[in-house]
Amino acid sequence: PVYGFASGDPLRFKRAVGHKDLFYIDDREVDFKEIIEAPLPKAPLDTAVVAHWLAIEGVQPAIPENPPIDAIAAPTENKRTEHAKDDGLPVDIKLPVKHILSRELQMYFDKIAELTMSRSSTPVFREALVSLSKDSGLHPLVPYFSYFIADEVTRSLADLPVLFALMRVVQSLLRNPHIHIEPYLHQLMPSMITCIVAKRLGHRLSDN
């Protein structure tokens, strides 16, 4: 590099014919045909990140990145034979899938439930509704909220403030663009329709 040569290969010097102290660098003549026909060098592996879906709406897509269904299915010997049909054929029983929530999501759900049932008139509850309508990480909690709302509406038909608070929670979940609410509408619709068309809600004559 000091003399302008940056090649990584060792330099080969040759003595000039007829000159005792004159040297030159031996540059081998290269045939273009030899270069063109030479095999391509092996390309280096670049660092890359590939994203894929582990599951969509609870269904694992059949793509090479995911393990095959047979690999994660329950072993055949664990199938319960006492539920066999009359024709003697075994019945496949789907094992329940354990849904694990993070500690943060559990605390979040408990706090929202507490505010909805006992502190729905506070500014904190209004902030919670804003969070429910905008937060992008709440989708794992949707089935829990659906069950909570359906259960509490059934229990609280005589408590109008609680019903209003529950419906505001539903409204916030429906407004959240990051939540796919469609698979849980069948759980939410009976509670919502009850609050809309019920002949009597609340225990006071002034309740409307």
Side-chain angles (χ1 to χ4, degrees):
V2 176
Y3 300 104
F5 301 100
S7 173
D9 299 329
L11 301 178
R12 292 178 299 175
F13 291 90
K14 279 193 173 183
R15 188 190 303 271
V17 179
H19 298 276
K20 181 180 178 181
D21 298 325
L22 182 61
F23 296 85
Y24 67 94
I25 296 176
D26 181 24
D27 287 332
R28 185 173 63 89
E29 290 187 0
V30 180
D31 188 2
F32 277 114
K33 184 178 180 181
E34 178 184 341
I35 295 178
I36 294 174
E37 294 178 353
L40 293 175
K42 189 175 182 181
L45 296 178
D46 293 332
T47 303
V49 176
V50 178
H52 70 279
W53 289 103
L54 290 177
I56 302 175
E57 301 294 352
V59 179
Q60 175 184 287
I63 56 178
E65 289 82 1
N66 285 333
I69 301 298
D70 300 337
I72 61 175
T76 54
E77 60 267 21
N78 291 340
K79 293 181 180 177
R80 300 175 61 183
T81 56
E82 61 266 21
H83 289 82
K85 297 179 182 177
D86 295 337
D87 53 10
L89 297 177
V91 178
D92 292 341
I93 299 175
K94 291 185 178 180
L95 300 177
V97 178
K98 189 174 183 180
H99 192 190
I100 301 177
L101 285 178
S102 67
R103 180 64 180 163
E104 291 78 10
L105 284 178
Q106 293 179 34
M107 294 174 62
Y108 182 91
F109 175 79
D110 293 339
K111 188 66 175 177
I112 296 293
E114 176 197 348
L115 292 172
T116 304
M117 298 305 297
S118 59
R119 300 167 59 191
S120 59
S121 59
T122 61
V124 180
F125 180 67
R126 290 192 290 272
E127 292 296 328
L129 294 179
V130 173
S131 173
L132 285 173
S133 65
K134 294 182 178 180
D135 201 315
S136 60
L138 300 182
H139 196 269
L141 288 178
V142 176
Y144 297 91
F145 276 124
S146 301
Y147 179 81
F148 166 72
I149 290 165
D151 188 46
E152 292 301 334
V153 166
T154 304
R155 296 169 182 265
S156 308
L157 291 177
D159 194 337
L160 209 58
V162 170
L163 294 179
F164 269 112
L166 290 168
M167 290 303 103
R168 289 190 179 104
V169 171
V170 174
Q171 184 183 45
S172 297
L173 292 174
L174 292 174
R175 286 177 174 174
N176 193 324
H178 308 287
I179 289 179
H180 302 289
I181 203 74
E182 289 82 3
Y184 310 100
L185 283 179
H186 68 283
Q187 296 177 348
L188 292 172
M189 288 300 293
S191 304
M192 298 166 62
I193 294 175
T194 297
C195 292
I196 294 172
V197 304
K199 290 184 178 180
R200 185 73 184 154
L201 292 175
H203 58 274
R204 298 178 300 180
L205 293 177
S206 58
D207 287 342
N208 184 0

